[in-house]
PDB file of all heavy atoms in Angstrom:
ATOM      1  N   THR A 129     109.053  69.374 107.241  1.00  0.00           N
ATOM      2  CA  THR A 129     107.902  69.861 107.941  1.00  0.00           C
ATOM      3  C   THR A 129     106.624  69.666 107.143  1.00  0.00           C
ATOM      4  O   THR A 129     105.578  69.290 107.681  1.00  0.00           O
ATOM      5  CB  THR A 129     108.098  71.379 108.213  1.00  0.00           C
ATOM      6  OG1 THR A 129     109.357  71.571 108.857  1.00  0.00           O
ATOM      7  CG2 THR A 129     106.998  71.914 109.116  1.00  0.00           C
ATOM      8  N   ALA A 130     106.719  69.915 105.846  1.00  0.00           N
ATOM      9  CA  ALA A 130     105.517  69.704 104.975  1.00  0.00           C
ATOM     10  C   ALA A 130     105.103  68.242 105.032  1.00  0.00           C
ATOM     11  O   ALA A 130     103.858  67.973 105.123  1.00  0.00           O
ATOM     12  CB  ALA A 130     105.825  70.164 103.561  1.00  0.00           C
ATOM     13  N   ILE A 131     106.028  67.339 104.952  1.00  0.00           N
ATOM     14  CA  ILE A 131     105.656  65.902 104.999  1.00  0.00           C
ATOM     15  C   ILE A 131     105.048  65.578 106.339  1.00  0.00           C
ATOM     16  O   ILE A 131     104.040  64.886 106.469  1.00  0.00           O
ATOM     17  CB  ILE A 131     106.928  65.041 104.730  1.00  0.00           C
ATOM     18  CG1 ILE A 131     107.423  65.224 103.329  1.00  0.00           C
ATOM     19  CG2 ILE A 131     106.622  63.570 105.013  1.00  0.00           C
ATOM     20  CD1 ILE A 131     108.773  64.582 103.058  1.00  0.00           C
ATOM     21  N   PHE A 132     105.672  66.147 107.416  1.00  0.00           N
ATOM     22  CA  PHE A 132     105.148  65.921 108.742  1.00  0.00           C
ATOM     23  C   PHE A 132     103.663  66.373 108.857  1.00  0.00           C
ATOM     24  O   PHE A 132     102.842  65.620 109.336  1.00  0.00           O
ATOM     25  CB  PHE A 132     105.999  66.655 109.770  1.00  0.00           C
ATOM     26  CG  PHE A 132     105.545  66.454 111.195  1.00  0.00           C
ATOM     27  CD1 PHE A 132     105.821  65.277 111.866  1.00  0.00           C
ATOM     28  CD2 PHE A 132     104.818  67.451 111.857  1.00  0.00           C
ATOM     29  CE1 PHE A 132     105.384  65.077 113.176  1.00  0.00           C
ATOM     30  CE2 PHE A 132     104.379  67.265 113.126  1.00  0.00           C
ATOM     31  CZ  PHE A 132     104.688  66.072 113.841  1.00  0.00           C
ATOM     32  N   ILE A 133     103.390  67.576 108.348  1.00  0.00           N
ATOM     33  CA  ILE A 133     102.029  68.095 108.482  1.00  0.00           C
ATOM     34  C   ILE A 133     101.069  67.263 107.629  1.00  0.00           C
ATOM     35  O   ILE A 133      99.991  66.956 108.058  1.00  0.00           O
ATOM     36  CB  ILE A 133     101.983  69.574 108.043  1.00  0.00           C
ATOM     37  CG1 ILE A 133     102.818  70.437 108.997  1.00  0.00           C
ATOM     38  CG2 ILE A 133     100.549  70.087 108.011  1.00  0.00           C
ATOM     39  CD1 ILE A 133     102.960  71.865 108.584  1.00  0.00           C
ATOM     40  N   ALA A 134     101.469  66.979 106.407  1.00  0.00           N
ATOM     41  CA  ALA A 134     100.522  66.348 105.470  1.00  0.00           C
ATOM     42  C   ALA A 134     100.381  64.846 105.683  1.00  0.00           C
ATOM     43  O   ALA A 134      99.331  64.279 105.408  1.00  0.00           O
ATOM     44  CB  ALA A 134     100.947  66.668 104.037  1.00  0.00           C
ATOM     45  N   GLU A 135     101.426  64.179 106.114  1.00  0.00           N
ATOM     46  CA  GLU A 135     101.428  62.726 106.099  1.00  0.00           C
ATOM     47  C   GLU A 135     101.592  62.061 107.448  1.00  0.00           C
ATOM     48  O   GLU A 135     101.044  60.988 107.716  1.00  0.00           O
ATOM     49  CB  GLU A 135     102.532  62.186 105.156  1.00  0.00           C
ATOM     50  CG  GLU A 135     102.470  62.720 103.757  1.00  0.00           C
ATOM     51  CD  GLU A 135     101.497  61.893 102.864  1.00  0.00           C
ATOM     52  OE1 GLU A 135     101.332  60.735 103.181  1.00  0.00           O
ATOM     53  OE2 GLU A 135     100.954  62.492 101.940  1.00  0.00           O
ATOM     54  N   VAL A 136     102.438  62.644 108.265  1.00  0.00           N
ATOM     55  CA  VAL A 136     102.893  61.901 109.463  1.00  0.00           C
ATOM     56  C   VAL A 136     102.097  62.268 110.734  1.00  0.00           C
ATOM     57  O   VAL A 136     101.676  61.413 111.467  1.00  0.00           O
ATOM     58  CB  VAL A 136     104.391  62.138 109.701  1.00  0.00           C
ATOM     59  CG1 VAL A 136     104.874  61.335 110.905  1.00  0.00           C
ATOM     60  CG2 VAL A 136     105.181  61.786 108.475  1.00  0.00           C
ATOM     61  N   ALA A 137     101.911  63.552 110.966  1.00  0.00           N
ATOM     62  CA  ALA A 137     101.350  64.010 112.203  1.00  0.00           C
ATOM     63  C   ALA A 137      99.951  63.480 112.446  1.00  0.00           C
ATOM     64  O   ALA A 137      99.198  63.358 111.459  1.00  0.00           O
ATOM     65  CB  ALA A 137     101.349  65.563 112.243  1.00  0.00           C
ATOM     66  N   PRO A 138      99.598  63.214 113.722  1.00  0.00           N
ATOM     67  CA  PRO A 138      98.205  62.864 113.994  1.00  0.00           C
ATOM     68  C   PRO A 138      97.311  64.037 113.670  1.00  0.00           C
ATOM     69  O   PRO A 138      97.741  65.191 113.650  1.00  0.00           O
ATOM     70  CB  PRO A 138      98.194  62.599 115.503  1.00  0.00           C
ATOM     71  CG  PRO A 138      99.452  63.214 116.030  1.00  0.00           C
ATOM     72  CD  PRO A 138     100.427  63.205 114.901  1.00  0.00           C
ATOM     73  N   ARG A 139      96.083  63.751 113.292  1.00  0.00           N
ATOM     74  CA  ARG A 139      95.204  64.747 112.779  1.00  0.00           C
ATOM     75  C   ARG A 139      95.034  65.997 113.657  1.00  0.00           C
ATOM     76  O   ARG A 139      95.040  67.122 113.124  1.00  0.00           O
ATOM     77  CB  ARG A 139      93.782  64.067 112.581  1.00  0.00           C
ATOM     78  CG  ARG A 139      93.021  64.633 111.398  1.00  0.00           C
ATOM     79  CD  ARG A 139      92.060  63.586 110.878  1.00  0.00           C
ATOM     80  NE  ARG A 139      92.671  62.757 109.816  1.00  0.00           N
ATOM     81  CZ  ARG A 139      92.861  63.186 108.575  1.00  0.00           C
ATOM     82  NH1 ARG A 139      92.555  64.391 108.235  1.00  0.00           N
ATOM     83  NH2 ARG A 139      93.418  62.402 107.660  1.00  0.00           N
ATOM     84  N   TRP A 140      94.975  65.781 114.973  1.00  0.00           N
ATOM     85  CA  TRP A 140      94.754  66.965 115.829  1.00  0.00           C
ATOM     86  C   TRP A 140      95.970  67.905 115.875  1.00  0.00           C
ATOM     87  O   TRP A 140      95.861  69.033 116.244  1.00  0.00           O
ATOM     88  CB  TRP A 140      94.452  66.473 117.256  1.00  0.00           C
ATOM     89  CG  TRP A 140      95.498  65.608 117.867  1.00  0.00           C
ATOM     90  CD1 TRP A 140      95.558  64.273 117.767  1.00  0.00           C
ATOM     91  CD2 TRP A 140      96.639  66.018 118.584  1.00  0.00           C
ATOM     92  NE1 TRP A 140      96.694  63.777 118.415  1.00  0.00           N
ATOM     93  CE2 TRP A 140      97.348  64.839 118.915  1.00  0.00           C
ATOM     94  CE3 TRP A 140      97.135  67.275 119.043  1.00  0.00           C
ATOM     95  CZ2 TRP A 140      98.564  64.875 119.652  1.00  0.00           C
ATOM     96  CZ3 TRP A 140      98.332  67.267 119.722  1.00  0.00           C
ATOM     97  CH2 TRP A 140      99.021  66.088 120.035  1.00  0.00           C
ATOM     98  N   LEU A 141      97.101  67.398 115.429  1.00  0.00           N
ATOM     99  CA  LEU A 141      98.345  68.206 115.518  1.00  0.00           C
ATOM    100  C   LEU A 141      98.544  69.065 114.237  1.00  0.00           C
ATOM    101  O   LEU A 141      99.301  70.007 114.266  1.00  0.00           O
ATOM    102  CB  LEU A 141      99.515  67.276 115.735  1.00  0.00           C
ATOM    103  CG  LEU A 141     100.771  67.871 116.336  1.00  0.00           C
ATOM    104  CD1 LEU A 141     100.488  68.500 117.683  1.00  0.00           C
ATOM    105  CD2 LEU A 141     101.854  66.796 116.489  1.00  0.00           C
ATOM    106  N   ARG A 142      97.851  68.687 113.159  1.00  0.00           N
ATOM    107  CA  ARG A 142      98.158  69.300 111.879  1.00  0.00           C
ATOM    108  C   ARG A 142      97.867  70.809 111.839  1.00  0.00           C
ATOM    109  O   ARG A 142      98.708  71.607 111.441  1.00  0.00           O
ATOM    110  CB  ARG A 142      97.398  68.593 110.748  1.00  0.00           C
ATOM    111  CG  ARG A 142      97.893  67.209 110.624  1.00  0.00           C
ATOM    112  CD  ARG A 142      97.229  66.388 109.553  1.00  0.00           C
ATOM    113  NE  ARG A 142      97.738  65.017 109.635  1.00  0.00           N
ATOM    114  CZ  ARG A 142      97.420  64.055 108.812  1.00  0.00           C
ATOM    115  NH1 ARG A 142      96.591  64.299 107.828  1.00  0.00           N
ATOM    116  NH2 ARG A 142      97.963  62.867 108.948  1.00  0.00           N
ATOM    117  N   GLN A 143      96.689  71.168 112.254  1.00  0.00           N
ATOM    118  CA  GLN A 143      96.290  72.573 112.272  1.00  0.00           C
ATOM    119  C   GLN A 143      97.217  73.413 113.104  1.00  0.00           C
ATOM    120  O   GLN A 143      97.729  74.431 112.633  1.00  0.00           O
ATOM    121  CB  GLN A 143      94.838  72.732 112.789  1.00  0.00           C
ATOM    122  CG  GLN A 143      93.790  72.488 111.719  1.00  0.00           C
ATOM    123  CD  GLN A 143      93.818  73.601 110.629  1.00  0.00           C
ATOM    124  OE1 GLN A 143      94.162  74.721 110.941  1.00  0.00           O
ATOM    125  NE2 GLN A 143      93.503  73.239 109.398  1.00  0.00           N
ATOM    126  N   PRO A 144      97.483  73.055 114.370  1.00  0.00           N
ATOM    127  CA  PRO A 144      98.364  73.910 115.187  1.00  0.00           C
ATOM    128  C   PRO A 144      99.761  74.043 114.559  1.00  0.00           C
ATOM    129  O   PRO A 144     100.288  75.168 114.549  1.00  0.00           O
ATOM    130  CB  PRO A 144      98.452  73.139 116.497  1.00  0.00           C
ATOM    131  CG  PRO A 144      97.265  72.278 116.565  1.00  0.00           C
ATOM    132  CD  PRO A 144      96.903  71.962 115.151  1.00  0.00           C
ATOM    133  N   VAL A 145     100.344  72.963 114.055  1.00  0.00           N
ATOM    134  CA  VAL A 145     101.669  73.092 113.478  1.00  0.00           C
ATOM    135  C   VAL A 145     101.661  74.020 112.250  1.00  0.00           C
ATOM    136  O   VAL A 145     102.516  74.896 112.106  1.00  0.00           O
ATOM    137  CB  VAL A 145     102.246  71.705 113.093  1.00  0.00           C
ATOM    138  CG1 VAL A 145     103.569  71.830 112.376  1.00  0.00           C
ATOM    139  CG2 VAL A 145     102.397  70.840 114.307  1.00  0.00           C
ATOM    140  N   SER A 146     100.627  73.846 111.393  1.00  0.00           N
ATOM    141  CA  SER A 146     100.514  74.725 110.246  1.00  0.00           C
ATOM    142  C   SER A 146     100.408  76.174 110.676  1.00  0.00           C
ATOM    143  O   SER A 146     101.047  77.076 110.123  1.00  0.00           O
ATOM    144  CB  SER A 146      99.263  74.381 109.435  1.00  0.00           C
ATOM    145  OG  SER A 146      99.383  73.149 108.898  1.00  0.00           O
ATOM    146  N   PHE A 147      99.625  76.371 111.750  1.00  0.00           N
ATOM    147  CA  PHE A 147      99.410  77.762 112.221  1.00  0.00           C
ATOM    148  C   PHE A 147     100.732  78.388 112.671  1.00  0.00           C
ATOM    149  O   PHE A 147     101.037  79.522 112.309  1.00  0.00           O
ATOM    150  CB  PHE A 147      98.389  77.775 113.357  1.00  0.00           C
ATOM    151  CG  PHE A 147      98.161  79.102 113.968  1.00  0.00           C
ATOM    152  CD1 PHE A 147      97.585  80.105 113.196  1.00  0.00           C
ATOM    153  CD2 PHE A 147      98.550  79.385 115.252  1.00  0.00           C
ATOM    154  CE1 PHE A 147      97.363  81.351 113.764  1.00  0.00           C
ATOM    155  CE2 PHE A 147      98.331  80.631 115.823  1.00  0.00           C
ATOM    156  CZ  PHE A 147      97.753  81.603 115.042  1.00  0.00           C
ATOM    157  N   VAL A 148     101.506  77.650 113.457  1.00  0.00           N
ATOM    158  CA  VAL A 148     102.787  78.183 113.968  1.00  0.00           C
ATOM    159  C   VAL A 148     103.709  78.471 112.803  1.00  0.00           C
ATOM    160  O   VAL A 148     104.353  79.524 112.791  1.00  0.00           O
ATOM    161  CB  VAL A 148     103.423  77.187 114.968  1.00  0.00           C
ATOM    162  CG1 VAL A 148     104.789  77.668 115.395  1.00  0.00           C
ATOM    163  CG2 VAL A 148     102.546  77.044 116.184  1.00  0.00           C
ATOM    164  N   VAL A 149     103.760  77.577 111.813  1.00  0.00           N
ATOM    165  CA  VAL A 149     104.673  77.801 110.691  1.00  0.00           C
ATOM    166  C   VAL A 149     104.200  79.033 109.931  1.00  0.00           C
ATOM    167  O   VAL A 149     105.039  79.815 109.476  1.00  0.00           O
ATOM    168  CB  VAL A 149     104.737  76.580 109.787  1.00  0.00           C
ATOM    169  CG1 VAL A 149     105.610  76.860 108.572  1.00  0.00           C
ATOM    170  CG2 VAL A 149     105.308  75.385 110.553  1.00  0.00           C
ATOM    171  N   GLU A 150     102.905  79.203 109.776  1.00  0.00           N
ATOM    172  CA  GLU A 150     102.405  80.384 109.111  1.00  0.00           C
ATOM    173  C   GLU A 150     102.699  81.677 109.842  1.00  0.00           C
ATOM    174  O   GLU A 150     102.919  82.719 109.244  1.00  0.00           O
ATOM    175  CB  GLU A 150     100.876  80.316 108.855  1.00  0.00           C
ATOM    176  CG  GLU A 150     100.546  79.455 107.629  1.00  0.00           C
ATOM    177  CD  GLU A 150      99.138  79.002 107.604  1.00  0.00           C
ATOM    178  OE1 GLU A 150      98.269  79.668 108.183  1.00  0.00           O
ATOM    179  OE2 GLU A 150      98.877  77.913 107.024  1.00  0.00           O
ATOM    180  N   LEU A 151     102.760  81.567 111.172  1.00  0.00           N
ATOM    181  CA  LEU A 151     103.141  82.726 111.951  1.00  0.00           C
ATOM    182  C   LEU A 151     104.520  83.243 111.567  1.00  0.00           C
ATOM    183  O   LEU A 151     104.804  84.442 111.578  1.00  0.00           O
ATOM    184  CB  LEU A 151     103.168  82.393 113.455  1.00  0.00           C
ATOM    185  CG  LEU A 151     101.865  82.567 114.220  1.00  0.00           C
ATOM    186  CD1 LEU A 151     102.121  82.360 115.708  1.00  0.00           C
ATOM    187  CD2 LEU A 151     101.317  83.947 113.996  1.00  0.00           C
ATOM    188  N   LEU A 152     105.392  82.302 111.203  1.00  0.00           N
ATOM    189  CA  LEU A 152     106.732  82.633 110.793  1.00  0.00           C
ATOM    190  C   LEU A 152     106.713  83.624 109.611  1.00  0.00           C
ATOM    191  O   LEU A 152     107.532  84.496 109.502  1.00  0.00           O
ATOM    192  CB  LEU A 152     107.472  81.359 110.374  1.00  0.00           C
ATOM    193  CG  LEU A 152     108.922  81.142 110.718  1.00  0.00           C
ATOM    194  CD1 LEU A 152     109.206  81.468 112.138  1.00  0.00           C
ATOM    195  CD2 LEU A 152     109.304  79.695 110.388  1.00  0.00           C
TER     196      LEU A 152
END
Side-chain angles (χ1 to χ4, degrees):
Chain A
T129 308
I131 294 171
F132 180 77
I133 294 172
E135 303 276 333
V136 184
R139 213 152 269 285
W140 56 270
L141 201 58
R142 294 180 184 184
Q143 277 292 330
V145 175
S146 295
F147 177 65
V148 174
V149 177
E150 277 162 29
L151 270 188
L152 219 48

